[in-house]
Amino acid sequence: MKINTIIFDLGGVLIDWNPEYVFLDAFKGDREKMDWFFKNICTMDWNENQDAGYPIQQATEDLVTQFPEYENYIRLYYGKWENMLGGAIEGTVSILDKFVKNENYKVVALTNWSSETFPIAQKRFGFLNWFEGIVVSGEEKTRKPHNDIFEITLKRFNISAEKSIFIDDNLRNIEAANALGINGVHFKNPEQLISDLKTYNINL
């Protein structure tokens, strides 16, 4: 089956995002304390709740009420969120550029991202304007790996699942895409991505 659509994840694939950029300094280099905080207070599940549309201010107040002794650190999460954005992952941006310039491919993005913070990324990264469209989980009030956000993406851009490739750094999301008939590629680095694309007869 000839591939005609490429669906990119953003964070961890095209954009370097990592809360460690803020919290390693906040915890004075104590990685053990930082890791405990992420596992028990500002967890990934909590963050993904905002990615699915829960209001940031409410989420922050909920957590402060629950863990008042960590209030300063909790408020830091979204207070310094912009500092969690690293640079573009240039190798993948180069791959994106080649797809965008090739008329044989439709190129869209599907991201787990709060609708409140996504405009910050849009201002910083010009390549986000290259896509035919971007499905932002926070705007849809759902998120990967739930089936509905993949189905929204397929329907919105008239994508045939079996003719598409979905690139994501989270294996959980890849497995969800595969279950719907979408060809998932688990992203680790740009070099590996180029190699994996060759298995679909895509040579960049």
Side-chain angles (χ1 to χ4, degrees), residues 84-102:
M84 298 179 188
L85 283 176
I89 301 174
E90 295 296 348
T92 323
V93 175
S94 177
I95 294 169
L96 169 64
D97 182 53
K98 290 174 182 176
F99 275 123
V100 169
K101 290 176 178 176
N102 188 326

Side-chain angles (χ1 to χ4, degrees), residues 37-203:
F37 179 78
F38 289 147
K39 287 176 183 175
N40 295 278
I41 312 295
C42 287
T43 65
M44 190 52 64
D45 284 344
W46 176 78
N47 175 75
E48 287 191 329
N49 200 35
Q50 284 69 266
D51 285 350
Y54 195 70
I56 284 173
Q57 184 175 349
Q58 186 61 52
T60 301
E61 298 307 325
D62 290 348
L63 221 52
V64 167
T65 299
Q66 192 175 355
F67 303 103
E69 67 273 30
Y70 291 98
E71 178 175 1
N72 291 341
Y73 293 111
I74 293 166
R75 295 195 185 282
L76 200 61
Y77 196 95
Y78 286 107
K80 292 286 187 180
W81 183 89
E82 191 167 353
N83 294 348
M84 298 179 188
L85 283 176
I89 301 174
E90 295 296 348
T92 323
V93 175
S94 177
I95 294 169
L96 169 64
D97 182 53
K98 290 174 182 176
F99 275 123
V100 169
K101 290 176 178 176
N102 188 326
E103 62 183 16
N104 293 319
Y105 299 102
K106 178 183 297 184
V107 186
V108 302
L110 168 57
T111 184
N112 277 1
W113 209 303
S114 165
S115 60
E116 295 178 66
T117 57
F118 190 64
I120 297 171
Q122 286 180 303
K123 289 178 182 177
R124 184 177 296 190
F125 302 105
F127 61 80
L128 293 178
N129 296 313
W130 299 354
F131 293 99
E132 181 170 323
I134 301 175
V135 175
V136 179
S137 62
E139 296 173 359
E140 308 301 332
K141 310 300 184 190
T142 184
R143 61 172 176 80
K144 297 174 287 183
H146 302 317
N147 286 352
D148 53 356
I149 199 163
F150 290 103
E151 291 164 354
I152 286 168
T153 305
L154 296 176
K155 184 176 180 180
R156 182 167 300 167
F157 301 110
N158 193 27
I159 297 168
S160 172
E162 64 272 14
K163 293 182 180 180
S164 68
I165 287 176
F166 171 60
I167 302 162
D168 197 299
D169 64 317
N170 190 320
L171 184 58
R172 173 197 67 179
N173 298 336
I174 292 299
E175 291 170 346
N178 287 339
L180 292 173
I182 301 167
N183 299 290
V185 172
H186 186 205
F187 179 86
K188 298 181 180 67
N189 57 65
E191 296 74 24
Q192 164 266 333
L193 175 56
I194 290 171
S195 177
D196 284 351
L197 289 171
K198 289 178 181 177
T199 66
Y200 294 93
N201 296 315
I202 296 173
N203 295 290

